[in-house]
């Protein structure tokens, strides 16, 4: 097993972009942003459905992804926006993202979204229809783990001669940073022999176990278990790699 230095950065681009107007991020303006976006959720849903009916699937996907992110944010900010956004609204938005991916011919991306709430009957039905989706014979590709707020941790696996390169990009969001697009972030990189299906990234006080598996319902996946705090692994505050990562189509598929 080869290990490499862990890199941690804080995604500052959003803050730098608006450095000229710190007042923009005041509590008052944040509330105004919430009220604007949360007040448009129904319009987002209706516009997304219109795009689906018109077979404008990329536009529908973009609309539903925006809706899913903001439904999640608005759902925990009831006191600030003055009304309740239900969990069911969030589940519906996430389901519609999955439907858009189906229309775009990306069933693995769709499955990842349906698996956020697999007990929801429409998701369960959609997942049952995807059980026979062909699982790739190789390990390389992109794997995602849902964090909430429409965001995902990501693992990228690349085949390189006799080994796999494994790269992790992790994030931590709360409602405020999700709204502004400014999370804490952590990364690590390691290698695994191409004949293996598991490996371990290890630093002084950090151990991350990585195991590739195949599941009838979920397809190819990676189970990750992190032992050590965020700072032990060189991550930003509250970033954690632990989770079950679902393989999806690569962006160029």
């Amino acid at each position: 097993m080869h290990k490499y230095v862990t890199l941690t950065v804080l995604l500052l681009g959003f803050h730098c972009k608006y450095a000229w107007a710190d007042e923009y991020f005041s509590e008052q303006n944040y509330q105004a942003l919430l009220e604007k976006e949360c007040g448009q959720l129904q319009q987002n849903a209706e516009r997304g459905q219109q795009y689906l009916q018109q077979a404008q699937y990329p536009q529908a996907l973009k609309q539903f992804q925006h809706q899913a992110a903001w439904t999640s944010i608005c759902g925990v900010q009831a006191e600030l926006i003055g009304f309740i956004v239900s969990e069911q609204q969030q589940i519906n938005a996430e389901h519609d993202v999955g439907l858009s991916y189906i229309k775009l011919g990306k069933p693995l991306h769709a499955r990842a979204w349906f698996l956020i709430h697999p007990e929801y009957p429409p998701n369960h039905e959609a997942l049952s229809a995807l059980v026979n989706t062909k699982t790739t014979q190789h390990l390389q590709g992109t794997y995602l783990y849902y964090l909430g707020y429409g965001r995902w941790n990501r693992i990228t696996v690349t085949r390189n001669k006799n080994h796999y390169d494994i790269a992790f990009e992790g994030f931590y969001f709360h409602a405020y940073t999700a709204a502004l697009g400014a999370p804490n972030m952590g990364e690590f990189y390691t290698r695994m022999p191409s004949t293996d299906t598991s490996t371990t990234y290890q630093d002084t006080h950090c151990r991350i176990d990585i195991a590739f598996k195949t599941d009838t319902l979920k397809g190819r996946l990676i189970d990750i278990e992190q032992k050590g705090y965020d700072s032990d692994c060189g991550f930003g505050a509250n970033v954690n790699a632990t989770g079950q990562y679902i393989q999806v189509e690569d962006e160029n598929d």
Side-chain angles (χ1 to χ4, degrees), residues 123-142:
N123 284 350
H124 180 76
E125 181 178 352
L127 286 168
S128 297
L130 290 172
V131 164
N132 294 324
T133 298
K134 185 177 180 180
T135 300
T136 61
Q137 297 302 309
H138 51 75
L139 302 184
Q140 63 261 35
T142 302

Side-chain angles (χ1 to χ4, degrees), residues 137-149:
Q137 297 302 309
H138 51 75
L139 302 184
Q140 63 261 35
T142 302
Y143 297 74
L144 301 178
Y145 172 75
Y146 193 58
L147 299 172
Y149 303 117

